[in-house]
Structures are given as C-alpha cells and as structure tokens.
Amino acid sequence: MNPIIKTSLLFILLSLAAITQAKDKETVYRAVYELNEIYTYIGDSWEPDLSDEKSEVKFRKDILRLELYPESSFCYSYHAWMTDSLEMEPNGDKIWYEMFFAWYRGGRSGEPTYPHKRSQWLIEKKRLEESMTVYDHFDGQFYQYADTLLSPSDWVIADSVANINGYDCIFATCSYHGRDWSVWFSTDLPWQDGPWKFCGLPGLVVSASDAEGLYRFDLKDIYPISTPVKPWAKRPKKTSRQKFLKENFEYLRQLDGNSLTAEFGIKIDHSPDKPRRYRVGIEKDYDYK
C-alpha cells in the first residue's frame, strides 16, 4: 500500500477512535506538563554541545498548564502566571523586590525563593478557526503574533506503541520551526492537542522531545476544572513570529548575569574571561546569527 495512503487511513481510524472515546464535551480539563530544558552553555557554538566536556550545561524545569476546551486550548507556564499575578496585585512590584533581595542577601544559594518566570509564552489554539495566537514577553512588554496550527499532514505516525505513565501511546514525528520532534500521543485522551504548540494528532500528546535532547515535555496529570485561566497579556504589540524571535534573542544576548538571575532565576557567570552565552530558544528557524 502507498505509504501516504496508509498514513492517511491510520489517521482516520485513530480520529474515529478518539471521537468514540470522547467524554463530556462541555467540561474543561487541565493537563499539567513538566518541561525540562537545557537552557545555557559555555562555548562559541549557538547550541549546547552536550559531548563537549568544557560545556557548562544548565537545566531548568517548568510546569505547564494546558486548559482544554471542546474546540480550543490555552497553554501557559504556572510560574509565569504566579509571577504576573503577583505583579498585578497592589504593591505587587514592591513585594516581589523584597522577596528577591531577601534571597540575594541570603547568599543566593539553591533554587531562588522569589517568584520568577521560566517560559514566558501564552499560546491560544482555536481548531474551528484553524488559528493560533501567541503572546510572548520580554523587557516589560507583551507581544502578539499569529502562527499556523500543525495539521495531520505535518506528522508521520509510526506503528510503534508503548505504555507511558499509564496511557497506551502511539509514536509520531514531525519537523517544526527548525527542530525535529519525537512524540508519543494517546487516543485514550480525546483531544487533538498538546503542550506548547503541539496539535493535529488524533489524541493528546503525552510526551515529546527534540532530536538534540534540549527540550522534553511530559504529561503529569489531567483533571476537570471549573475556573480555567485565560490569556492575561495586557496591551500586546502586534508583530510577526520571526521578528519577535530575533528581537527576543538580541535582548537576552545583552543581559548580564545579574539580570538573567533576577528575571529567570538562572545563575550565570559573566566575568570577562568567560565567553558570552546565547539562547537560541525552542524555535530556531530565524536569523539569530
């Protein structure tokens, strides 16, 4: 059988299975993911070289929430929500600075104890409108741009199966925004969605990782909720995806170690004898050189 026809038939069968298993379509669910990221490094290369013994590999964890509506979703970082919520409170900025300087004066040892962001993007997907709106942030300003939803034709579904975190999963791959991704999804979870910008598979993404081993998403929990969080970006500036990625890269490139620590909780040595650190980011199909 033609491989394209075989993949199309498999997708149709899996989609029918997901629809059959769908539960109460009015209920909003929250899927909670852990994102493990290798964030920074030493060297002249633009990406971490994990085989180089001189590389300083730093790890960062984030907690992502994916609010699952019947025909849409909203993905955001729990830590970004907590930090922005504090800043929107009366005297929120003052409280944040007091917490930050208490940690700073205490020797800056261990995990920062003040609220700080990891992933800053907010991603809203609307399947009926076939649209994705991304709100992202740097230097005190929210930005907004449109992106294209992944479609079934973007994925290659294999016949590999595995049980991951108690879910029967199927393996799929795709190339997206400059990285190659390996994904496990489950039709037992009847949402064609996933963390970050993943979507378009006939089931919810349970696990995803890139070929370089720099990013990994893992589903930790899923449960119904009565008060979902909605996008909170205030007065975002409209831009394009690649323009935003380029400007954000240049912004991070200029930050010193103290600024990176304050904003992201990342301790980096920027002494003169150390090479600069650069962060390409999860998407790398833009001119960052």
Side-chain angles (χ1 to χ4, degrees), residues 158-172 183-189 204 206-207 216:
D159 56 6
S160 300
V161 296
N163 188 280
I164 301 175
N165 294 336
Y167 298 106
D168 291 329
C169 296
I170 302 169
F171 185 70
V183 167
W184 292 93
F185 69 95
S186 177
T187 58
D188 294 338
L189 302 169
L204 188 69
V206 173
S207 180
R216 182 178 177 88

Side-chain angles (χ1 to χ4, degrees), residues 254-265:
Q254 302 302 320
L255 291 184
D256 60 23
N258 288 332
S259 297
L260 282 169
T261 296
E263 190 162 354
F264 299 109

Side-chain angles (χ1 to χ4, degrees), residues 2 5 27 42 45 61 77 101 116 128 137 145 161 202 215 242-243 251 284:
N2 186 297
I5 296 176
T27 304
I42 294 176
S45 63
K61 287 188 177 183
S77 164
F101 283 114
H116 59 281
L128 289 180
H137 181 279
Y145 62 85
V161 296
Y215 299 90
Q242 291 201 349
K243 182 180 179 182
Y251 168 72
K284 59 177 185 176

Side-chain angles (χ1 to χ4, degrees), residues 36-175:
N36 285 278
E37 177 182 359
I38 296 178
Y39 185 87
T40 189
Y41 51 94
I42 294 176
D44 297 327
S45 63
W46 296 88
E47 289 276 43
D49 182 359
L50 304 185
S51 65
D52 184 354
E53 294 181 356
K54 296 181 180 179
S55 296
E56 180 183 334
V57 179
K58 290 179 179 282
F59 298 90
R60 187 176 72 168
K61 287 188 177 183
D62 201 356
I63 300 171
L64 305 180
R65 287 176 170 180
L66 178 64
E67 316 289 55
L68 292 161
Y69 297 85
E71 298 296 342
S72 64
S73 67
F74 173 50
C75 189
Y76 62 97
S77 164
Y78 168 79
H79 295 289
W81 175 66
M82 289 290 290
T83 303
D84 285 346
S85 296
L86 174 61
E87 292 179 354
M88 288 186 285
E89 291 291 325
N91 298 318
D93 288 341
K94 180 180 178 182
I95 295 171
W96 185 91
Y97 278 107
E98 288 175 351
M99 296 175 71
F100 169 73
F101 283 114
W103 173 80
Y104 191 89
R105 288 190 296 268
R108 294 175 289 173
S109 61
E111 178 73 14
T113 55
Y114 59 91
H116 59 281
K117 299 180 181 181
R118 281 77 162 174
S119 307
Q120 303 214 60
W121 37 257
L122 319 174
I123 298 173
E124 192 173 27
K125 308 175 198 138
K126 296 183 179 179
R127 288 184 292 279
L128 289 180
E129 300 175 13
E130 297 184 348
S131 68
M132 181 193 300
T133 302
V134 180
Y135 305 93
D136 216 329
H137 181 279
F138 70 84
D139 198 18
Q141 173 66 51
F142 269 108
Y143 294 82
Q144 174 185 340
Y145 62 85
D147 204 351
T148 304
L149 292 174
L150 281 162
S151 69
S153 62
D154 294 316
W155 293 96
V156 176
I157 299 176
D159 56 6
S160 300
V161 296
N163 188 280
I164 301 175
N165 294 336
Y167 298 106
D168 291 329
C169 296
I170 302 169
F171 185 70
T173 59
C174 76
S175 295

Side-chain angles (χ1 to χ4, degrees), residues 132 147-150 154 174-181 196-198 241 282-285:
M132 181 193 300
D147 204 351
T148 304
L149 292 174
L150 281 162
D154 294 316
C174 76
S175 295
Y176 185 60
H177 289 340
R179 294 191 186 276
D180 294 329
W181 292 95
W196 184 53
K197 297 183 178 182
F198 297 122
R241 183 180 69 89
I282 194 170
E283 300 173 41
K284 59 177 185 176
D285 56 338

